[in-house]
């Protein structure tokens, strides 16, 4: 299980990295979004699995609970990455409005000497 | 009590008030206020002469950073006294001279005197500091104030060039010196020079001994314009003449000499020290005098002559250091240490005659409007006093009686002849070269002295080439050079007064062991009888006159060596090349292309992490503790992998976005499997909102183009992506195989007792680790504000409201 999930995370990271290396702005942002998925999944599996533990709700009165700490961390991470992604998207929209291109290779800024 | 420390600080304190005086009292030349400072300091320091001549030293210590052992320690002994008297004495004369030299109306005097006082204080700090770090501080202050003074007429390109050059060279040396000081203090465990001198015997075999020595010498050589670092001095002649007279003949260039003399008790007696100091000195002596002859500008000629005289002093210090090789009781040692005495004597002499000569050249420049010897001539009858001063200065420099230069030149020859009798440091083979080179250099010195006097004051007066009608300088301008020239003559007739009261204590400071053993006795005589030295002097005069007469016929020798290969062009070329190369290198990797930077970052991550993991052997894959995979999870995982892998191949952006949405929902499904209800909820909502945001952007963003990449680049991207992915997987597996401790989550299972909550995750977010949550809210708030601002932002082109489009 852990091995399979680790491989899955690796695949997600690979795809995300590949997208981040592309020219189009939208692809890059998509890459960052996938990268967040991968990271959240990674935190999750690092918490470990066990078949017979229940969700971290004390009302369940189970013998053992799943580790709640990684879940709290992921919850925080999800919200933050959402905020960042939203900001990126609006930034991309403004960039395109102003500069009429979404090609990162053309977004070079200005030379200091010009 | 703290008289000495105060003496160092007074120039700085006065410098603070100079601009005020300059502005409030425009009627009086600011120099008059400044003149008080060095004159008073000179009197104060002169009052120490009897104390120091009695073999005592004065020490006062102000704590500055005691925890680091850095204290503002002022230490006065014979050596610092000599230099301090030169600094304040010549300083007073230079200020007096500058009052008449610099015009009150045309020049920004406030700046000039602030820099000059700053320099004076820094220089006093250099010679009085016993603490290495404080010495370095003042050393750099002299570099900075010298930089400011050279570029005093900053509207001239040449001035700025000279200032930059001197700054670069001296500061480079200064940094080297700092490194040497630090090595020395690490080695001996103290910053105090006196303590280092006392204990150095235990450390001569230390590995840092020679590196520290060489680095300190680098500082000394750059400051004192020794070969090959002498190139800044001729360019520093762009400074006003009082500055050249003061900084670049009498004081700052002596700082390196002072340093070598001060550290002679530390490093002297070592073969490396002996060879480096003597050889660099001799080479500088020869090269300076050789180059001086070809100069057409009087100040450039004096600059090269300064370089060569400094080389002379340096070589004497090098030879004198050999005395420390012997035992104190050995008569050899006293015999060789005469060189040190000669060096100190010549240091004083050089300051007197060179200061006077610079002032003379300044007067000529001031009264005729040029310093070019091709335009000058026949000024003898027009400027008789100036002419007399020039003769005194030049012939003292050439080493003729009845001037003080003669005495030190004789001692110089004596010391060099003794080198031939040395029989250690494997010197026997080359020893004879020393006096020979020195003699040739003396002949050349004599030639340029003749050039200086004859080309300027003899020959034909050419009024049509001059900018002004030449006439004798005003009296005020002549006072300082007259005083210096009188000293030149006085030192010849009464050398022993100077010797006894000032030179001997200084000698004692350089050779402390000798004084203790009481084996030291020097008297200076003008007449030694008919000996080799006298013959050498006569030879110098004879050959010098012949060479001067034949000057046009051997000028071609200077054309042998093309200007392209000179040190100057080497310096300029390396500076240019450095700039060009660094620009081109920077432009090569700083492309401004985001993609390239991402590639650098990712490759670095791959390389570093792989290397660290491989080095520590942290890669470990152990699947024995894996939980079994259920059919659901396996299926979802496969679907997720396929989804992810198909995103890069998506033809349209819509497909890409939807596939990403699928990924998000599948992730939520995983959260369900892993028993994380809150996560699943949040993930579903957020993914929905994100997807709609993405779709919102569609309206404004263009359709995905097919990525047009060269196959090579594509391969690289695939490789990087695969490497990063593999790395993450391997790390994840390794972490799971190396569990060290149990989780702390058992504590949170007391959520009900501790926080009254049944939902553990919520208890963590709201109670146990609420700080995170608060700041996460802030993040969201800022992101929201940012989005709002971005959308509402007035575009700066025409200021239209974006919303209204």
């Amino acid at each position: 299980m852990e091995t399979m999930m680790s491989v899955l995370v690796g695949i997600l990271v690979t795809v995300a990295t590949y997208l981040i290396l592309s020219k189009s702005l939208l692809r890059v942002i998509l890459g960052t979004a996938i990268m967040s998925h991968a990271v959240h999944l990674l935190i999750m599996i690092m918490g470990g699995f066990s078949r017979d533990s229940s969700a971290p709700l004390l009302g369940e009165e189970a013998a053992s609970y799943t580790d709640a700490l990684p879940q709290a961390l992921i919850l925080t991470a999800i919200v933050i990455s959402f905020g960042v992604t939203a900001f990126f998207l609006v930034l991309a929209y403004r960039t395109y409005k102003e500069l009429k291109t979404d090609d990162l290779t053309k977004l070079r800024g200005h030379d200091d000497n010009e | 009590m703290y008289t000495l420390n105060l003496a160092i600080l007074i120039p700085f304190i006065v410098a603070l008030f100079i601009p005020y005086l300059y502005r409030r009292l425009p009627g009086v030349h600011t120099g008059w206020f400044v003149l008080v400072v060095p004159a008073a300091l000179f009197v104060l320091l002169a009052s120490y002469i009897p104390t120091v001549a009695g073999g005592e030293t004065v020490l006062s210590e102000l704590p500055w950073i005691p925890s680091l052992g850095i204290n503002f320690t002022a230490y006065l002994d014979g050596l610092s006294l000599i230099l301090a008297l030169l600094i304040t004495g010549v300083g007073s004369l230079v200020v007096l001279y500058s009052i008449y030299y610099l015009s009150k109306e045309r020049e920004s005097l406030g700046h000039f005197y602030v820099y000059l006082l700053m320099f004076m204080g820094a220089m006093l700090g250099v010679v009085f500091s016993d603490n290495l770090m404080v010495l370095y501080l003042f050393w750099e202050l002299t570099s900075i104030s010298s930089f400011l003074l050279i570029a005093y007429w900053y509207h001239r390109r040449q001035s700025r060039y000279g200032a930059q050059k001197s700054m670069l060279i001296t500061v480079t040396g200064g940094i080297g010196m700092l490194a040497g000081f630090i090595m020395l203090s690490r080695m001996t465990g103290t910053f105090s020079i006196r303590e280092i001198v006392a204990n150095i015997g235990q450390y001569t075999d230390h590995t840092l001994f020679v590196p520290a020595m060489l680095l300190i010498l680098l500082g000394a050589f750059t400051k004192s314009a020794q070969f090959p670092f002498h190139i800044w001095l001729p360019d520093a002649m762009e400074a006003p003449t009082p500055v050249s007279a003061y900084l670049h003949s009498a004081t700052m260039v002596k700082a390196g000499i002072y340093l070598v003399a001060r550290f002679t008790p530390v490093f002297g007696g070592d073969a490396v020290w002996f060879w480096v100091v003597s050889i660099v000195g001799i080479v500088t002596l020869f090269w300076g005098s050789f180059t001086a002859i070809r100069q057409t500008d009087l100040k450039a000629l004096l600059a090269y002559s300064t370089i060569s005289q400094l080389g002379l002093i340096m070589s004497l210090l090098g030879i004198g250091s050999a005395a420390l090789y012997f035992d104190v009781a050995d008569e050899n040692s006293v015999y060789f240490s005469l060189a040190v005495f000669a060096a100190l004597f010549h240091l004083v002499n050089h300051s007197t005659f060179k200061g006077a000569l610079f002032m003379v050249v300044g007067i000529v420049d001031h009264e005729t409007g040029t310093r070019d010897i091709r335009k000058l001539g026949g000024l003898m009858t027009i400027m008789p006093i100036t002419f007399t001063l020039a003769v005194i200065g030049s012939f003292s420099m050439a080493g003729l009686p009845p001037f003080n230069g003669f005495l030190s030149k004789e001692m110089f020859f004596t010391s060099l002849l003794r080198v031939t009798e040395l029989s250690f440091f494997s010197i026997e083979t080359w020893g004879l070269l020393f006096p020979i080179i020195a003699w040739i250099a003396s002949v050349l010195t004599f030639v340029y002295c003749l050039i200086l006097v004859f080309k300027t004051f003899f020959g034909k007066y050419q009024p049509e080439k001059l900018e002004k009608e030449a006439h004798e300088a005003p009296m005020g301008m002549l006072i300082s050079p007259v005083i210096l020239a009188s000293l030149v003559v006085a030192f010849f007739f009464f050398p022993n007064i100077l010797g006894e009261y000032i030179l001997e204590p200084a000698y004692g400071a350089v050779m402390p062991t000798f004084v203790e053993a009481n084996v030291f006795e020097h008297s200076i005589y003008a007449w030694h009888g008919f000996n080799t030295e006298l013959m050498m002097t006569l030879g110098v005069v004879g050959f010098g006159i012949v060479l001067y007469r034949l000057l046009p016929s051997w000028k071609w020798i200077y054309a042998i060596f093309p200007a392209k290969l000179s040190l100057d062009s080497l310096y300029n070329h390396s500076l240019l090349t450095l700039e060009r190369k660094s620009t081109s290198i920077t432009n090569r990797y700083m492309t401004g292309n985001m993609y390239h930077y991402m590639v650098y970052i990712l490759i670095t991550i791959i390389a570093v992490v792989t290397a660290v993991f491989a080095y520590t052997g942290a890669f470990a894959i152990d699947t024995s503790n894996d939980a079994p995979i259920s059919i659901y999870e396996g299926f979802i995982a496969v679907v997720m992998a396929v989804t992810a892998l198909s995103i890069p191949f998506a033809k349209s952006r819509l497909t890409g976005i939807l596939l990403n949405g699928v990924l998000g929902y599948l992730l939520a499904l995983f959260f369900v499997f892993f028993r994380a209800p809150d996560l699943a909820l949040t993930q579903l909502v957020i993914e929905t909102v994100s997807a709609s945001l993405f779709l919102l952007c569609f309206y404004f963003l263009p359709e995905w183009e097919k990525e047009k990449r060269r196959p090579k680049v594509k391969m690289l991207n695939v490789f990087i992506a695969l490497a990063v992915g593999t790395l993450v997987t391997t790390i994840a597996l390794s972490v799971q195989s190396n569990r060290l401790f149990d989780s702390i989550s058992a504590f949170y299972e007391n959520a009900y007792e501790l926080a009254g909550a049944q939902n553990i995750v919520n208890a963590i977010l709201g109670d146990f680790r609420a700080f995170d949550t608060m700041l996460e809210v802030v993040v969201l708030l800022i992101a929201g504000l940012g989005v709002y601002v971005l959308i509402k932002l007035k575009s700066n082109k025409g200021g239209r409201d974006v919303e209204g489009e």
Side-chain angles (χ1 to χ4, degrees):
Chain A
M1 182 77 184
E2 283 89 339
T3 313
M4 180 189 79
M5 294 313 285
S6 301
V7 171
L8 179 60
V9 167
I11 291 171
L12 287 178
V13 169
T14 306
V15 171
T17 311
Y18 185 79
L19 285 173
I20 285 173
L21 289 172
S22 28
K23 279 185 190 175
S24 139
L25 205 49
L26 196 62
R27 270 198 177 87
V28 173
I29 298 174
L30 204 57
T32 58
I34 295 172
M35 191 64 94
S36 334
H37 291 328
V39 171
H40 301 158
L41 198 56
L42 184 66
I43 300 177
M44 195 72 226
I45 59 178
M46 288 293 113
F49 305 97
S50 66
R51 280 271 156 249
D52 40 15
S53 49
S54 74
L57 301 166
L58 293 173
E60 303 278 308
E61 296 189 0
S64 69
Y65 300 101
T66 313
D67 198 333
L69 196 53
Q71 296 191 13
L73 295 179
I74 294 170
L75 203 56
T76 310
I78 288 177
V79 175
I80 290 176
S81 66
F82 165 70
V84 174
T85 306
F87 185 75
F88 273 177
L89 278 168
V90 175
L91 201 57
Y93 145 70
R94 290 287 295 142
T95 307
Y96 187 70
K97 261 264 181 289
E98 292 288 329
L99 303 171
K100 303 285 177 284
T101 177
D102 73 332
D103 186 346
L104 272 173
T105 51
K106 290 181 188 153
L107 297 172
R108 289 284 184 91
H110 299 286
D111 263 339
D112 299 335
N113 312 328
E114 280 175 15
Chain B
M1 220 21 231
Y2 291 125
T3 330
L4 282 178
N5 304 69
L6 206 61
I8 298 171
L9 293 175
I10 279 174
F12 292 109
I13 296 164
V14 175
L16 290 176
F17 294 102
I18 291 297
Y20 176 77
L21 287 170
Y22 174 62
R23 230 166 316 173
R24 292 304 301 268
L25 298 164
V28 189
H29 197 289
T30 321
W32 292 113
F33 303 113
V34 179
L35 183 56
V36 180
V37 179
L41 285 175
F42 181 78
V43 173
L44 169 78
L45 291 167
S47 68
Y48 283 103
I49 293 178
T51 321
V52 174
E56 288 171 46
T57 55
V58 184
L59 181 79
S60 68
E61 188 160 8
L62 272 175
W64 180 28
I65 315 177
S67 56
L68 296 177
I70 296 175
N71 294 312
F72 184 24
T73 313
Y75 173 70
L76 183 139
D77 60 1
L79 182 61
S80 18
L81 187 63
I82 270 198
L83 278 135
L85 288 174
L86 282 180
I87 293 160
T88 50
V90 180
S92 317
L93 297 176
V94 162
V95 171
L96 182 63
Y97 177 79
S98 69
I99 291 171
Y100 292 95
Y101 188 88
L102 292 172
S103 132
K104 197 167 60 187
E105 291 77 27
R106 285 198 308 272
E107 304 289 358
S108 150
L109 293 175
H111 289 146
F112 181 81
Y113 288 113
V114 167
Y115 303 156
L116 201 72
L117 280 171
M118 188 170 129
F119 170 78
M120 199 181 290
M123 199 65 213
L124 284 172
V126 166
V127 298
F128 282 143
S129 289
D130 178 59
N131 191 294
L132 289 174
M133 289 299 126
V134 180
L135 194 150
Y136 172 72
L137 170 89
F138 284 120
W139 184 273
E140 291 301 35
L141 270 176
T142 59
S143 294
I144 292 166
S145 44
S146 160
F147 167 80
L148 291 169
L149 282 165
I150 294 170
Y152 177 63
W153 289 314
Y154 53 83
H155 49 269
R156 293 189 193 169
R157 214 176 61 82
Q158 234 9 62
S159 296
R160 297 197 302 270
Y161 169 78
Q164 185 209 36
K165 194 174 188 175
S166 77
M167 182 83 173
L168 281 175
I169 294 177
T170 52
V171 168
T172 306
I175 298 283
M177 192 181 84
L178 175 65
F181 281 174
I182 290 170
M183 285 179 185
L184 201 58
S185 62
R186 294 298 299 176
M187 196 162 72
T188 56
T190 172
F191 278 123
S192 160
I193 299 175
R194 283 169 307 120
E195 287 173 30
I196 291 174
V197 170
N199 305 324
I200 194 69
Q202 317 160 31
Y203 302 107
T204 43
D205 297 332
H206 198 285
T207 39
L208 287 178
F209 184 75
V210 173
M213 177 203 297
L214 292 176
L215 283 166
I216 290 171
L217 278 181
L218 179 73
F221 288 164
T222 48
K223 200 76 158 181
S224 280
Q226 299 294 299
F227 189 90
F229 309 112
H230 63 271
I231 49 176
W232 65 266
L233 191 61
D235 284 302
M237 291 301 137
E238 292 300 322
T241 302
V243 173
S244 311
Y246 187 38
L247 268 69
H248 307 127
S249 74
T251 52
M252 189 177 93
V253 287
K254 300 283 199 305
I257 304 273
Y258 166 80
L259 199 73
V260 171
R262 181 54 85 202
F263 281 90
T264 296
V266 178
F267 297 116
D270 191 276
V272 180
W273 176 268
F274 170 83
W275 280 117
V276 171
V277 178
S278 326
I279 289 178
V280 168
I282 283 280
V283 170
T284 311
L285 164 66
F286 174 78
W287 187 249
S289 55
F290 177 71
T291 319
I293 294 175
R294 68 184 298 192
Q295 303 305 321
T296 52
D297 177 280
L298 283 174
K299 270 179 106 177
L301 188 145
L302 285 180
Y304 278 106
S305 96
T306 303
I307 291 167
S308 104
Q309 301 281 315
L310 289 168
L312 184 152
I313 302 174
M314 198 61 95
S315 64
L316 280 173
L317 283 173
I319 290 160
S321 73
L324 291 165
Y325 176 78
F326 297 103
D327 199 32
V328 177
D330 194 326
E331 59 183 30
N332 264 336
S333 55
V334 182
Y335 191 53
F336 290 122
S337 71
L338 172 74
V340 172
F341 191 77
L344 295 166
F345 190 29
H346 196 73
L347 182 135
V348 176
N349 294 344
H350 176 254
S351 296
T352 52
F353 65 69
K354 193 53 65 77
L357 280 175
F358 266 112
M359 290 175 187
V360 164
V361 169
I363 289 170
V364 170
D365 188 11
H366 205 269
E367 304 308 331
T368 62
T370 182
R371 297 192 309 247
D372 192 330
I373 53 176
R374 288 165 301 191
K375 295 181 185 168
L376 293 166
L379 296 176
M380 182 170 66
T381 47
I382 301 166
M383 307 167 82
I385 303 175
T386 315
F387 166 67
T388 316
L389 295 171
V391 167
I392 293 174
S394 306
F395 287 165
S396 176
M397 182 155 74
L400 300 182
F403 308 114
N404 58 8
F406 172 71
L407 301 173
S408 34
K409 185 79 86 174
E410 292 281 283
M411 284 191 186
F412 171 60
F413 285 151
T414 312
S415 309
L416 286 174
L417 286 169
R418 284 182 182 172
V419 173
T420 55
E421 303 164 22
L422 289 175
S423 56
F424 55 94
F425 297 154
S426 61
I427 197 172
E428 302 88 336
T429 18
W430 303 103
L432 196 60
L433 276 179
F434 275 91
I436 291 173
I437 295 175
W439 184 80
I440 295 171
S442 298
V443 173
L444 296 170
T445 304
F446 191 73
V447 173
Y448 71 67
C449 290
L450 290 176
I451 292 176
L452 178 66
V453 174
F454 282 80
K455 299 260 181 197
T456 313
F457 295 98
F458 287 77
K460 206 159 73 36
Y461 178 52
Q462 306 158 302
E464 68 284 355
K465 288 190 182 173
L466 300 181
E467 291 168 30
K468 306 178 189 174
E469 181 72 28
H471 55 81
E472 186 55 276
M475 279 320 292
M477 222 189 230
L478 287 166
I479 298 172
S480 300
V482 165
I483 292 175
L484 284 171
S486 320
L487 283 176
V488 167
V489 181
F491 286 164
F492 174 79
F493 286 107
F494 310 104
N496 287 317
I497 297 176
L498 177 80
E500 198 173 326
Y501 284 100
I502 295 185
L503 295 178
E504 284 200 24
Y507 171 88
V510 182
M511 302 272 176
T513 43
F514 286 52
V515 181
E516 283 162 28
N518 216 354
V519 288
F520 164 78
E521 198 58 53
H522 280 309
S523 299
I524 312 167
Y525 301 111
W527 180 249
H528 298 282
F530 289 102
N531 54 8
T532 328
E533 292 88 325
L534 189 69
M535 293 300 136
M536 283 167 90
T537 305
L538 290 174
V540 165
V541 175
F543 271 91
I545 291 170
V546 170
L547 277 182
Y548 176 71
R549 285 266 168 235
L550 301 176
L551 197 58
S553 62
W554 59 277
K555 271 279 193 187
W556 56 267
I557 199 163
Y558 289 108
I560 292 177
F561 206 65
K564 252 195 248 171
L565 293 174
S566 72
L567 283 163
D568 256 320
S569 62
L570 176 76
Y571 162 88
N572 292 331
H573 186 75
S574 25
L575 216 58
L576 269 176
T577 316
L578 255 173
E579 279 177 24
R580 264 206 302 269
K581 282 268 181 272
S582 55
T583 308
S584 75
I585 289 172
T586 307
N587 287 344
R588 194 162 304 151
Y589 74 92
M590 299 291 281
T591 50
N593 191 339
M594 271 296 292
Y595 165 77
H596 289 159
Y597 304 154
M598 279 316 296
V599 169
Y600 304 150
I601 292 170
L602 291 169
I603 285 183
T604 311
I605 290 174
I606 295 164
V608 171
V609 176
T610 312
V612 168
F613 265 71
Y615 182 73
T616 54
F619 287 118
I621 295 178
D622 170 20
T623 55
S624 55
N625 295 333
D626 276 13
I629 305 172
S630 72
I631 180 95
Y632 308 109
E633 290 149 354
F635 176 71
I636 301 286
V638 171
V639 173
M640 207 164 166
V642 172
T643 311
L645 286 171
S646 46
I647 291 178
F649 301 101
K651 285 275 182 293
S652 79
R653 54 193 178 161
L654 188 60
T655 323
I657 301 294
L658 289 180
L659 287 174
N660 181 42
V662 171
L663 276 187
Y665 286 145
L666 289 178
L667 188 63
L669 204 52
F670 263 121
F671 289 148
V672 172
F673 286 137
F674 295 152
R675 301 177 186 74
D678 305 286
L679 281 186
L681 266 175
T682 317
Q683 179 64 31
L684 282 172
V685 173
I686 292 269
E687 195 52 47
T688 313
V689 177
S690 295
S692 34
L693 262 179
F694 270 109
L695 293 173
L696 254 183
C697 280
F698 276 19
Y699 179 73
F700 302 101
L701 288 175
E703 175 57 79
W704 267 1
E705 304 250 328
K706 199 169 175 338
E707 285 281 306
K708 289 192 191 67
R709 292 268 195 206
R710 291 200 309 279
K712 252 190 184 167
V713 179
K714 243 197 174 104
M715 286 303 297
L716 178 73
N717 292 355
V718 169
F719 165 76
I720 291 177
L722 277 174
V724 174
T726 318
L727 208 57
V728 172
T729 300
T730 336
I731 292 173
L733 290 171
S734 307
V735 169
Q736 282 158 337
S737 313
N738 289 318
R739 283 202 187 277
L740 298 174
F741 304 105
D742 286 331
S743 164
I744 55 167
S745 295
F747 167 79
Y748 296 117
E749 287 170 16
N750 306 327
Y752 192 69
E753 291 80 45
L754 293 170
Q758 295 210 326
N759 182 332
I760 303 180
V761 175
N762 283 358
I764 292 175
L765 288 173
D767 288 306
F768 295 117
R769 300 176 53 87
F771 220 5
D772 287 359
T773 314
M774 190 184 87
L775 291 175
E776 158 201 346
V777 170
V778 173
V779 169
L780 213 52
L781 171 79
I782 292 174
L785 279 175
V787 168
Y788 177 78
V789 168
L790 274 179
I791 291 179
K792 287 303 252 187
L793 191 74
K794 292 264 189 293
S795 83
N796 51 9
K797 294 179 202 129
R800 292 160 305 147
D801 196 327
V802 178
E803 264 189 332
E805 288 177 28

